[in-house]
Structure formats: structure tokens, C-alpha cells
Amino acid sequence: MILESVTQLSFIPKRIVSLVPSQTELLHYLGLEAETAGITKFCIHPKEWFDTKTRIGGTKTIDIKRIRQLDPDLIIANKEENVKDQVDELAKYFNVWVTDVNNVANALHMIHDIGTLTGKLTAAQKLVTAIQSGFAKLQTTNHQLKTAYLIWKEPYMTIGGDTFIHDILQQCGLQNIFANQTRYPEVSVAALQNIKPQLIILSSEPYPFKQQHIDELQQQLPGTVIILADGEMFSWYGSRMLLIPQYLNTLLSDINRLLVHTATI
């Protein structure tokens, strides 16, 4: 069944399957090595789990037969990352906890819930406190830069105002120019030329943007600062959030340096 409350699970699970990479990393952080039986092929962190744990397909191509063979007593899924029909099918046989993370506050609540479900509440609460402390030290840009964050090419795709990435941009003081749209809309170069963003961030995932893509876009948007970014630091909620503030502070320093350089050209 799909659990509606953490109190519905009356026991501490001993066999867990994670269908979400960032939540797999969280399970590792909480010390659930023995309990985690299966992960997806995209659960690349930690590497030792990627190398040794049973893989149960992709986040949107779940191998239900293999999961049934693992016989988990808890499956952790996510509303956005996983396909509803597949999750509903799994819920016919197993306890399923579905997270819904669209901002930092949701992510902290998710960590608390998973800590409760897995008998690791104390560790989860300490993690939440550490993340909050880190984000309190996050610097913000004073420019409120008009920003486009691109996650895909051919077609280009960006992020709307109801996404975790959007909230991370806000935490930095960056203005998402597509905040009035939802999820992951397509966007053309012509639209970007019309809106004239001051900053474009090219993510390393899911599309692996490289320097050559900066060069291509820069020719079409010569007045815009374009920079590569580690997509995990903008979209992985869970224990990785411990690393996000320091990464963002460095990125913001790089952006400010590029702004000064662009202004002098």
C-alpha cells in the first residue's frame, strides 16, 4: 500500500528499495547499509553501493519483477522522479512511501520522515540541523540577476517556479525568469534573446552541458554571462544538501567575477 503517514508503518524496515538517487544517498548517510537491498541504475552515490547493490532498473523504468524477488518491506519513491502507474503497481504488493520535494523546506521534512520510517530519527534530526546551519551561511547575490537555468538541449528546457531547482536559485538571490511556468518547459534561443537574461546556468545533468555549449550560446547571446554548474548541487535533495551552500558560494563568486569581466569588455 501507499503509506499516507509515517505512523502507518508499525515496524522498522529491514529490506528497503530506493527508487530515487538522492534518497539512496540519504539512506547511506543514515547508516542503512544492511537494510538497503535495491537501488536504481542512476543511484551513483555512494560508489560502493552502485558497485554492489542490486539495481532494479531506472527511475522511470522500474523492474517490478526484480523488486518482487528482493521482497522489500519498504519502497521509497518520489512523485516527480518515478512513474505513478509503476508505483501504484508496486503498492499492490509492498509498503511504499512517496516523497514530494519542491523546495528546501520539503526536503528537510522528507529527511525527517525517512529518519522516522527507518528508525534513524536522531541522525535525521542532526542532519536537518546541519543543513539549516549551512544554508544560513549561504551568500546571496545583490544583483537579483535575471537567470535561466537550462537542463536539456534539443530542445532546450528550463525550470519553472514549482521545482526544487527554482528554490535553490531563490536561496542564492537569483531571479528565475521562468518562475511563472511549471515544471520543465521548453524554451527557444529566440525566446531567450527576447527576454535577455543576464545569466544562463547550464546544468551538468540530466543533459551533460560542456564548454562547447557555452560557446554556441554565447554567439547568440553575447551580452549574457553563461556558466556551467554541477546539477547535483541544484537538484539532489537529501544529505547532499550539506555540500550545497559552500558550492553555491563558490559559484556565486565565479558569477560575480564574470559579470565584472563582461562589463569591462
Side-chain angles (χ1 to χ4, degrees):
M1 66 176 174
I2 293 180
L3 302 171
E4 299 294 335
S5 167
V6 291
T7 60
Q8 278 186 272
L9 200 64
S10 59
F11 58 90
I12 296 176
K14 298 301 181 185
R15 292 184 63 77
I16 302 170
V17 166
S18 173
L19 307 183
V20 185
S22 56
Q23 292 174 179
T24 295
E25 187 177 42
L26 172 61
L27 295 177
H28 176 264
Y29 182 91
L30 294 177
L32 293 159
E33 163 77 35
E35 292 85 351
T36 303
I39 63 176
T40 78
K41 65 181 181 180
F42 299 119
C43 295
I44 59 174
H45 301 300
K47 187 179 185 301
E48 58 266 31
W49 280 21
F50 181 75
D51 291 339
T52 60
K53 295 289 184 184
T54 299
R55 298 183 206 168
I56 47 75
T59 54
K60 300 187 186 303
T61 55
I62 296 165
D63 187 334
I64 294 177
K65 181 179 179 181
R66 181 167 293 182
I67 292 176
R68 294 189 69 175
Q69 291 171 344
L70 290 174
D71 193 28
D73 48 19
L74 177 65
I75 296 172
I76 301 175
N78 176 264
K79 183 178 179 180
E80 176 179 276
E81 291 285 337
N82 304 124
V83 177
K84 184 178 184 301
D85 288 347
Q86 295 175 356
V87 171
D88 288 343
E89 181 66 19
L90 288 171
K92 294 177 181 178
Y93 313 102
F94 308 107
N95 296 309
V96 180
W97 180 253
V98 181
T99 65
D100 188 10
V101 179
N102 298 311
N103 52 50
V104 170
N106 291 163
L108 298 179
H109 190 71
M110 176 274 296
I111 292 170
H112 185 276
D113 285 345
I114 289 182
T116 301
L117 283 166
T118 60
K120 299 289 185 177
L121 181 56
T122 299
Q125 289 174 327
K126 289 181 179 178
L127 174 58
V128 167
T129 299
I131 291 170
Q132 290 172 325
S133 177
F135 271 80
K137 299 172 185 175
L138 177 59
Q139 300 171 17
T140 59
T141 175
N142 295 322
H143 306 291
Q144 281 293 307
L145 297 175
K146 292 168 57 180
T147 303
Y149 185 103
L150 301 185
I151 61 169
W152 199 256
K153 188 176 186 293
E154 296 178 359
Y156 285 116
M157 295 175 69
T158 185
I159 53 106
D162 58 345
T163 61
F164 184 78
I165 298 172
H166 166 82
D167 194 46
I168 294 297
L169 290 177
Q170 283 195 313
Q171 299 280 338
C172 297
L174 299 174
Q175 180 186 350
N176 176 15
I177 59 176
F178 297 102
N180 63 334
Q181 299 194 40
T182 58
R183 310 320 295 162
Y184 307 105
E186 293 183 13
V187 59
S188 65
V189 172
L192 290 171
Q193 290 172 326
N194 183 56
I195 298 173
K196 296 182 175 62
Q198 295 166 282
L199 172 68
I200 292 178
I201 299 174
L202 302 182
S203 178
S204 64
E205 65 168 38
Y207 187 90
F209 283 106
K210 306 293 183 186
Q211 180 61 44
Q212 69 187 70
H213 303 112
I214 289 182
D215 298 338
E216 292 171 8
L217 274 174
Q218 200 73 78
Q219 292 179 9
Q220 299 165 302
L221 295 152
T224 299
V225 170
I226 306 175
I227 194 168
L228 297 171
D230 183 344
E232 292 179 0
M233 293 298 182
F234 279 87
S235 61
W236 281 47
Y237 39 82
S239 53
R240 184 148 298 253
M241 293 172 69
L242 286 170
L243 307 177
I244 289 177
Q246 182 176 347
Y247 173 80
L248 293 178
N249 283 337
T250 300
L251 185 69
L252 288 170
S253 295
D254 291 342
I255 289 169
N256 287 328
R257 176 178 50 80
L258 288 170
L259 283 169
V260 171
H261 177 72
T262 302
T264 59
I265 295 177

